[in-house]
Amino acid sequence: MTEDISTKTTNPSISGPADIHSLNPKGIRVAGIKWVPVVGGKYKVWTKKMGKGTLKVLLLHGGPGFNHDYLDCFESFLPEAGIEMYYYDQLGCGNSDNPDDTSLWNLERYLGEVEEVRQGLGLTDFVLLGHSWGGMLAIEYALKHQHDGHLKGIVISNMVASIDSFLACAIKWKKTLPEDLLKEVERMESEGDWENPEYDRIITGVLYPKMICRIQPWPEPLTRSFRLANMKIYIQMQGHSEFVVTGNMKGWNSWDRLHQIEVKTLVIGAQNDEMDPEDCKKMANLIPKGEVAICPEGSHMAFWDDQEKYFEYLLKFLKSL
């Protein structure tokens, strides 16, 4: 009789501290997928290599609590340009381990995770591209690790330099709602009525198609990321909504530290983003080797809704390194 494996996990947890060699099979092709131990080997995160080239780019997805899926379109552009790219799902997200430990969901711990992933993948001369929350991580990683000799440059995609700056623009978008809808949204927010289906309908049905992704229908990888999001992480770090930040990212600010970033930096924004494109321009001016590119038709997911311009700007920068 064959063994019944239906109740067994295909993603076993690590029983003790593990190294990368004990997590990955040897001598077979696995489509670029590799487990990397994090938190000192207690957990593991899922990574995937696409393409091959001397220029290597590690992608940091947003959220917090989302996964890499919504970045799938990058594999249609970077590998064919001769660029080696790496996806990874942050701890608690997507294919990676999902421990029930709220002490793990904070900026400092995730920042340490990025370095563990870099080491696990053996990246010694690479570009870090962070989108949205991933852009926060990219800024902090550059400030902490730019002198380690591994970081070639960073791309800050669709993220501004502080939570307050983000909120100022996001709230402007909220105020574009018709007066009756705006009053209803603000009432539900003041009452903490986050589970009300009407709140979700207005935010995701009316506002998100304007400021998150402006093409219809949304690409399947994007809807997949939203469907699979770990909302426990999102709520702890961000809050219950894009418009009310109550989580532990509240108060984050890097405006007065941007001048300390010494590596070449591209700040990509979009005209219809929930991040103010004028703030993106200011950021690039404050970073000594900063450049800025604004996607004229794009929103927060400009690599989907202004795809041609986004990748034109991105590839030009990457090839200049």
Side-chain angles (χ1 to χ4, degrees):
M1 181 182 293
T2 59
E3 182 182 13
D4 182 6
I5 62 170
S6 62
T7 59
K8 296 185 178 182
T9 177
T10 57
N11 179 11
S13 61
I14 302 170
S15 58
D19 61 32
I20 198 165
H21 303 293
S22 66
L23 294 174
N24 297 286
K26 298 178 182 178
I28 61 171
R29 297 185 180 187
V30 290
I33 295 169
K34 179 183 289 187
W35 290 110
V36 173
V38 296
V39 195
K42 189 175 182 181
Y43 304 111
K44 60 188 183 301
V45 295
W46 179 96
T47 73
K48 182 170 183 175
K49 171 186 172 183
M50 299 285 296
K52 188 174 183 179
T54 56
L55 183 60
K56 306 176 192 306
V57 179
L58 176 62
L59 303 180
L60 301 178
H61 62 72
F66 283 59
N67 61 19
H68 82 281
D69 289 357
Y70 76 92
L71 300 174
D72 276 357
C73 58
F74 279 75
E75 66 191 65
S76 295
F77 293 88
L78 271 61
E80 71 178 32
I83 297 168
E84 189 171 299
M85 56 172 275
Y86 294 81
Y87 293 126
Y88 103 85
D89 284 337
Q90 295 158 23
L91 190 64
C93 307
N95 300 308
S96 295
D97 281 351
N98 183 15
D100 186 17
D101 182 354
T102 57
S103 71
L104 297 167
W105 316 136
N106 59 79
L107 173 60
E108 190 62 30
R109 211 281 313 159
Y110 272 119
L111 181 58
E113 176 181 300
V114 176
E115 175 59 11
E116 288 182 296
V117 170
R118 182 204 67 78
Q119 293 180 20
L121 295 175
L123 298 176
T124 57
D125 189 25
F126 79 109
V127 178
L128 191 60
L129 187 156
H131 175 258
S132 194
W133 142 251
M136 286 177 56
L137 284 173
I139 291 170
E140 295 293 344
Y141 186 90
L143 289 167
K144 186 171 184 177
H145 293 285
Q146 61 186 337
H147 296 132
D148 293 355
H150 303 297
L151 190 63
K152 194 178 188 74
I154 64 171
V155 179
I156 305 166
S157 179
N158 306 90
M159 185 63 208
V160 290
S162 75
I163 292 298
D164 286 348
S165 297
F166 151 63
L167 276 175
C169 187
I171 290 170
K172 285 182 182 178
W173 276 106
K174 185 174 73 172
K175 291 186 181 298
T176 66
L177 286 168
E179 185 176 356
D180 59 331
L181 294 184
L182 178 59
K183 287 182 178 179
E184 184 68 2
V185 163
E186 291 182 337
R187 179 192 65 78
M188 289 183 282
E189 289 176 345
S190 66
E191 296 175 359
D193 193 11
W194 308 112
E195 303 303 319
N196 192 319
E198 185 65 7
Y199 186 82
D200 182 69
R201 184 193 71 80
I202 297 171
I203 298 303
T204 63
V206 180
L207 282 177
Y208 279 14
K210 297 178 180 179
M211 66 183 216
I212 300 297
C213 186
R214 295 169 70 88
I215 55 175
Q216 292 294 331
W218 276 15
E220 188 277 333
L222 179 56
T223 61
R224 192 191 326 145
S225 271
F226 270 81
R227 186 177 71 251
L228 299 176
N230 186 331
M231 295 308 293
K232 289 183 179 179
I233 296 175
Y234 179 85
I235 291 170
Q236 180 172 323
M237 296 191 67
Q238 163 94 9
H240 286 85
S241 166
E242 288 290 278
F243 306 98
V244 183
V245 177
T246 56
N248 58 35
M249 298 194 311
K250 184 177 181 179
W252 176 80
N253 188 343
S254 66
W255 280 111
D256 62 351
R257 295 178 289 146
L258 292 179
H259 70 280
Q260 299 173 18
I261 297 177
E262 299 173 12
V263 296
K264 290 185 177 180
T265 301
L266 174 64
V267 182
I268 303 182
Q271 198 60 45
N272 303 293
D273 197 354
E274 60 179 340
M275 310 290 175
D276 192 335
E278 293 303 313
D279 282 339
C280 294
K281 295 174 185 178
K282 293 175 187 176
M283 291 168 66
N285 285 332
L286 289 170
I287 298 170
K289 296 179 182 177
E291 303 176 21
V292 66
I294 305 298
C295 299
E297 304 297 327
S299 63
H300 197 53
M301 303 289 175
F303 36 81
W304 288 112
D305 57 17
D306 201 357
Q307 194 171 80
E308 182 178 353
K309 282 295 184 184
Y310 183 95
F311 284 102
E312 174 188 328
Y313 298 146
L314 176 61
L315 291 174
K316 181 181 178 181
F317 173 76
L318 293 176
K319 290 178 179 179
S320 73
L321 298 175

